[in-house]
Amino acid sequence: MTSLIRSYGKGLTALFLALTAAWIVLLIVLPQLRMIERAFTFTDHGGEAATLAQTIDRHYTRLFAIDTDLRDLTARKEAAGAPAPAPAAPSLVPSPSLAPSPSLTPSPRLVPSPAAPSPSMTPSPGLVPSPGMAPSAASGPSPEELDRRIAELEAEKAELQQKLAVLEEEERSNDAETGFNESYSLKNFTDMSEIHLKIFISTLFYALCVTVLAFLVCYPVAYAVASTRNANKLAFLMLGLVIPYAINELLRIFSWVMILEKQGILNGLFDALGLIDMGAGEGLRFVASNGAVFTVMVYAYVLFMVFPIYNTIDTLDRNQIEAARDLGASIWRIHWRVVLPHAKPGIAVGAIMTFMLSAGSIAVPEIVGRGLHPDWFSQVIYRRFFEADSWNQGAAYSLALLVACLVFILVNMAVFRVGIRDIAK
C-alpha cells in the first residue's frame, strides 16, 4: 500500500482500490451469491402441470432416441456411398427454442425416462461408427431399408415436435393461471438425472485428460525455452508461442475443424498420398471422438500451462543441473530429482488453469464434431439456461461444477505440496 501511494499518489491509489473493490463485488461476489440462491431455489409445478411435464419428458426422451438413431443410420448410409437424407422441414419446428439439436440432450426437464440412452455412451454397438472413423458398410441393411427407416423416423420426429409445441403452450398457460411454488431445497441437485450425472463425472475425467496431455506437451517446450541462452533464439521461440494467440479463439477452433473434418485438410493429405480415396467417400472421421476435442483444447490452452512452468524453471540455478551431470545422473534422473521438484509451483498453477478452462469450455466441445462425440457438462449447463429455460437447475449444475473445480485445486495443491505463497511466486 505504501509503495502504491509513493508511486501514484493518494488520489490514483484510492481510485485503483475503489475500482478493484467494485470489480470484485459487481462481477464476482454478487453474481456468485445470486447463482447460489437460484441453485437452492426449487420451483414446484403442481396439479395438471406436473402431468404435462411428465408427458413432455417422455416425448423429449423419444426425440433423443430418434435423433441418435438418425445419426447412426445416416452414418451407415454415407459409408455405403449413398447421399445423406435431407433434414426435416424447418416449418415443422414451432420455435427455435423447441427444436432439439442432434448433439444435445433433448429433454429440458429434470429426469428423463430410465429408458433414455445416455449421450455420453455409445448408443448401439451395431450402429455407431467407431470414434474417429467412418463406419463400415461391409454388412447390414440395404440402402432401401435404410431409406425406409430414416423416412419413418423423420415422420415420427416431426409429429412429436408438433405435439410438443401444443403441450408446452398448454403448460405455459397453466403456469400463468395456477402459478407455481418456490422454496429453498436441495432438489435441484438431488433431481440430477442419471444421464447428467454420468456426463458430469465424464467431464471431470476429460478435463483431467486434457490437463495431463497439456503437461506432456508443454513441459519439454518450457524447459527448452528456459534453457536457451541465445537471446535471438529465445525471442523466436517466445514469438512462436504467442503469435497463434493473436487470432480469435473461435477462429483457432474452426481452423482445427477444417483440418480434422472428414473432407478436411488431413484427409486431403491422406488422399494425396494414396492412402484413402475421398472421391469414393472414404475418409477418417477424426471429429467423431473426444480425441479431437482434447487436441483442440490442448492447443487452445497451451499458454496457460507452458508459461507458469517456464517461469519456475527459469529461476532454477543451472549449477544444480551441472552438478547432477558431474555426478553421473542421467537426463531422466536430472529432471525427476532436480527440475521437476523445482517446477512444482508452476506445474500446479498450469494444471489448475488448464483443468478449470477445460471443464468449463463450451466453444470447443460444441463446435468440434458437434453431435458426434459424448457431451460435456458445460453443454448441459448451457442448455439448462438457454434452451430449457431452467435457470435454477442451471445454477445448481454450475455450482456443482464450481465445487468440483475447487476440490481439484485443493487436491492439486496437496499432491504437489505447494501453498498459496508458492503459487503466488
Side-chain angles (χ1 to χ4, degrees):
M1 180 66 70
T2 304
S3 61
L4 284 175
I5 294 175
R6 288 177 180 174
S7 301
Y8 302 105
K10 293 183 179 180
L12 286 178
T13 300
L15 178 62
F16 171 76
L17 293 177
L19 291 175
T20 302
W23 171 68
I24 293 174
V25 172
L26 296 176
L27 298 181
I28 298 179
V29 176
L30 291 180
Q32 290 299 321
L33 291 176
R34 179 58 175 158
M35 183 184 75
I36 292 173
E37 180 190 8
R38 299 202 70 155
F40 289 96
T41 301
F42 178 71
T43 304
D44 183 17
H45 298 266
E48 187 179 350
T51 305
L52 283 172
Q54 293 177 0
T55 305
I56 292 172
D57 279 341
R58 288 195 296 269
H59 286 342
Y60 269 108
T61 299
R62 178 56 188 157
L63 267 180
F64 173 71
I66 291 174
D67 283 330
T68 302
D69 290 343
L70 282 174
R71 287 202 305 270
D72 300 338
L73 293 171
T74 302
R76 297 184 69 174
K77 189 172 180 179
E78 288 179 352
S91 59
L92 297 176
V93 180
S95 167
S97 62
L98 300 177
S101 170
S103 68
L104 306 180
T105 304
S107 174
R109 308 295 162 185
L110 301 182
V111 184
S113 166
S118 167
S120 63
M121 299 294 179
T122 304
S124 172
L127 294 176
V128 176
S130 60
M133 293 192 172
S136 171
S139 62
S142 64
E144 292 75 15
E145 293 174 341
L146 290 175
D147 285 335
R148 179 182 57 80
R149 181 58 180 155
I150 289 174
E152 291 175 354
L153 290 175
E154 289 285 4
E156 184 180 357
K157 178 179 177 180
E159 183 181 357
L160 282 174
Q161 288 173 338
Q162 290 177 338
K163 288 181 179 179
L164 280 169
V166 176
L167 290 172
E168 289 185 334
E169 181 60 34
E170 186 177 347
E171 184 185 44
R172 284 191 290 270
S173 299
N174 262 330
D175 285 344
E177 293 174 4
T178 62
F180 47 82
N181 297 321
E182 287 189 343
S183 60
Y184 289 109
S185 170
L186 293 174
K187 290 185 70 65
N188 288 327
F189 298 93
T190 58
D191 281 351
M192 181 184 291
S193 68
E194 183 182 355
I195 290 176
H196 291 169
L197 181 59
K198 288 180 180 179
I199 296 174
F200 175 69
I201 296 173
S202 298
T203 297
L204 298 180
F205 175 71
Y206 297 156
L208 183 61
C209 291
V210 173
T211 303
V212 172
L213 289 173
F215 169 73
L216 295 176
V217 170
C218 294
Y219 176 77
V221 175
Y223 181 78
V225 174
S227 303
T228 301
R229 289 287 177 269
N230 187 303
N232 292 331
K233 185 178 180 181
L234 176 61
F236 178 77
L237 289 173
M238 296 296 288
L239 196 63
L241 288 172
V242 173
I243 279 181
Y245 287 80
I247 304 173
N248 182 276
E249 180 181 354
L250 288 177
L251 294 180
R252 295 200 304 270
I253 296 172
F254 277 113
S255 68
W256 273 101
V257 173
M258 297 299 102
I259 294 172
L260 299 175
E261 268 290 354
K262 189 175 180 180
Q263 303 298 324
I265 296 173
L266 194 55
N267 277 320
L269 177 62
F270 291 158
D271 182 62
L273 295 175
L275 301 177
I276 61 174
D277 185 2
M278 293 179 65
E282 297 180 4
L284 302 178
R285 198 183 295 272
F286 294 104
V287 294
S289 72
N290 265 322
V293 181
F294 293 171
T295 300
V296 178
M297 279 193 177
V298 169
Y299 178 76
Y301 306 134
V302 65
L303 288 189
F304 297 97
M305 177 68 79
V306 72
F307 275 125
I309 299 177
Y310 161 75
N311 287 335
T312 52
I313 295 179
D314 193 48
T315 62
L316 176 64
D317 185 357
R318 297 299 185 278
N319 292 326
Q320 296 184 40
I321 298 178
E322 294 300 328
R325 285 175 179 166
D326 292 341
L327 292 173
S330 65
I331 185 65
W332 296 107
R333 193 167 182 82
I334 289 173
H335 281 280
W336 183 254
R337 298 295 297 274
V338 179
V339 183
L340 282 173
H342 183 82
K344 283 195 300 184
I347 297 173
V349 172
I352 289 170
M353 296 177 70
T354 305
F355 180 88
M356 296 188 72
L357 288 169
S358 302
S361 175
I362 179 66
V364 178
E366 191 73 4
I367 294 174
V368 179
R370 176 175 179 173
L372 298 175
H373 58 74
D375 281 348
W376 287 54
F377 200 62
S378 54
Q379 295 173 279
V380 176
I381 293 174
Y382 176 86
R383 294 171 217 146
R384 294 293 93 188
F385 278 109
F386 301 110
E387 294 186 9
D389 197 24
S390 181
W391 283 53
N392 291 351
Q393 194 178 35
Y397 285 11
S398 300
L399 185 59
L401 185 60
L402 175 61
V403 171
C405 289
L406 291 177
V407 170
F408 174 82
I409 292 174
L410 296 176
V411 171
N412 187 66
M413 293 172 62
V415 169
F416 287 99
R417 297 179 182 178
V418 296
I420 296 297
R421 292 185 178 180
D422 297 320
I423 292 177
K425 293 178 182 179

